[in-house]
C-alpha cells in the first residue's frame, strides 16, 4: 500500500508540481477508488483534462510534461478566471512513459479546451462536448460503468442521478464523489467570511477564487445524498468517506497565493533547468505530503471527512 501511495503521489506531483496540494487531493481520490474496475462500455462524466483518470488508470508522464504549460490569463488569476481553459497544441504535448492499463469508451465535458487536452492522452475512445445540466446525450442502458467527481457542480444533482440511472445498464456500477456538509466548514473562506460576513476576512475571497462560492453548489450529509439517490432509483452498493479536515485545510491555501509568480518563474527556465528543478521539488515535497496521504487522518477522528465516495447500482 505504501509503495502504491508513493508511486501514485509521485505521478500526480510530476503533473501538479507547482500545486502539491492538488496532487495530495488527487492521490487520496485515486486511493479511495482503487478497487473500481472500468468495465466497458464506460463513461467519464465531467472528464476535465483527463489527467486524473489517466493516472488513476496506471498511466505515467515523462518529466517534460506538466499541466501548467498550457494555461492562460495568469494576470486574472485572482479574478476567478479558469486559467486551465486554454488549449495550445504546441504546449500540450504529453510524453507518455507508461500507457494506462485500460481505455475509457466515452468522456464528456462542457469545455472544448479540456476535451482537446483529454484527446492528447490516448485514454478515451470518444469525446463528447455537452452541458450535463441538460439530459445526457446517450441511449438508455448505454454503460456498464460511469465515473464522475463533478456532479455537485451541476444545478440539480437529482436530475443527473436520474439520468445516470437511465443510461446505466442493469448490473452496472456508477462511482461518484460528492462533498460532505463538513467540506464547507473546513474551508477558511466559508468559515471566516461567507458564514460571518466579517469584513476583516473579506480578503479570503482572493484565495477562494470562486471555488466555494460558485462551484460547490451542493455539499450534504450522507442521509441527504442517499435520499436523493433513492428518489432517482439508485441503490448504494458501497459508501466510504475521505479527505480529512487536515487535508482540506492544507489544500485550501497550499501554494495557491504564490501560483502566478511561481508560474512566471518556471516559464523563464530552460527546459532542462525546469525538469531538474521540478525533480528536486518533487523529492522535497514527497516526504512532506506523503504522511498526509491517508484516506482517514488519525488526528482528525473527531471530524467527519469532507467527501463521500459512493458506488451506485440500479
Ligand atoms: C472538479 S473538475 C473534475 C475534472 C476531472 N474529472 C478530474 O478529476 O480532474 C469538474 C469538471 O466538470 C466540468 N463541468 C462543470 N460543469 C459542467 C457541466 N454543466 N457540464 C459538463 N461538464 C461540466 C468542468 O469543465 C470540469 O472539467
Amino acid at each position: 500500500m505504501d509503495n502504491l501511495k508513493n508511486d501514485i503521489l509521485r505521478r500526480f506531483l510530476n503533473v501538479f508540481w507547482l500545486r502539491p496540494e492538488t496532487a495530495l487531493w488527487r492521490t487520496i481520490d485515486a486511493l479511495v477508488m482503487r478497487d473500481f474496475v472500468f468495465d466497458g462500455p464506460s463513461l467519464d462524466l465531467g472528464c476535465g483534462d483527463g489527467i486524473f483518470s489517466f493516472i488513476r488508470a496506471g498511466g505515467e508522464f515523462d518529466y517534460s510534461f506538466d499541466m501548467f504549460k498550457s494555461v492562460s490569463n495568469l494576470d486574472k488569476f485572482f479574478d476567478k478566471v479558469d486559467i486551465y481553459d486554454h488549449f495550445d497544441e504546441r504546449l500540450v504535448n504529453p510524453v507518455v512513459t507508461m500507457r494506462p492499463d485500460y481505455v475509457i469508451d466515452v468522456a464528456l465535458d462542457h469545455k472544448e479546451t479540456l476535451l482537446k487536452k483529454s484527446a492528447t492522452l490516448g485514454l478515451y475512445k470518444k469525446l463528447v462536448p455537452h452541458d450535463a445540466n441538460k439530459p445526457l446525450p446517450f441511449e438508455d442502458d448505454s454503460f456498464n460503468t460511469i465515473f464522475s467527481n463533478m456532479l455537485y457542480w451541476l444545478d440539480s444533482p437529482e436530475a443527473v442521478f436520474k439520468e445516470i440511472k437511465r443510461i446505466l445498464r442493469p448490473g452496472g456500477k456508477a462511482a461518484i464523489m460528492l462533498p460532505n456538509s463538513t467540506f464547507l466548514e473546513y474551508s477558511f473562506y466559508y468559515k471566516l467570511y461567507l458564514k460571518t460576513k466579517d469584513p476583516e476576512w473579506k480578503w479570503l475571497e482572493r484565495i477562494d477564487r470562486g471555488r466555494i462560492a460558485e462551484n460547490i453548489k451542493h455539499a450534504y450529509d450522507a442521509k441527504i445524498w442517499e435520499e436523493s439517490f433513492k428518489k432517482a432509483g439508485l441503490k448504494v452498493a458501497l459508501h466510504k468517506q475521505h479527505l480529512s479536515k487536515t487535508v482540506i485545510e492544507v489544500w485550501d491555501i497550499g501554494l495557491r497565493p504564490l501560483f502566478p509568480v511561481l508560474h512566471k518563474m518556471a516559464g523563464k527556465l530552460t527546459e532542462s533547468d525546469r525538469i531538474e528543478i521540478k525533480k528536486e521539488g518533487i523529492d522535497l515535497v514527497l516526504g512532506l505530503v506523503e504522511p498526509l496521504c491517508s484516506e482517514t487522518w488519525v488526528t482528525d477522528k473527531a471530524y467527519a471527512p469532507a467527501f463521500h465516495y459512493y458506488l451506485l447500482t440500479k
Side-chain angles (χ1 to χ4, degrees), residues 16 26 29 44-53 82 108-111 114 130-134 147-150 152-154:
F16 300 113
R26 305 331 308 273
D29 276 350
D44 190 345
L45 182 55
C47 61
D49 58 19
I51 289 174
F52 172 74
S53 287
D82 179 3
L108 178 150
D109 205 280
H110 67 161
K111 289 196 174 164
L114 299 182
H130 184 79
D131 177 359
N133 283 314
K134 301 189 175 133
F147 164 64
S148 188
N149 58 3
M150 54 66 81
Y152 56 96
W153 288 42
L154 301 177

Side-chain angles (χ1 to χ4, degrees), residues 157-214:
E158 204 171 307
V160 80
F161 294 155
K162 284 187 181 145
E163 280 296 274
I164 288 178
K165 189 212 166 197
R166 182 182 66 74
I167 64 174
L168 195 63
R169 288 188 178 168
K173 286 198 174 77
I176 63 172
M177 292 186 187
L178 298 164
N180 196 355
S181 53
T182 53
F183 176 65
L184 298 176
E185 299 294 332
Y186 305 155
S187 139
F188 295 109
Y189 171 63
Y190 180 84
K191 187 168 49 183
L192 301 175
Y193 181 67
L194 263 193
K195 236 172 114 172
T196 65
K197 291 286 181 288
D198 179 348
E200 196 187 333
W201 296 105
K202 189 169 166 56
W203 62 272
L204 282 168
E205 237 166 31
R206 281 171 66 74
I207 303 260
D208 185 64
R209 301 176 58 245
R211 285 171 315 155
I212 300 287
E214 286 158 31

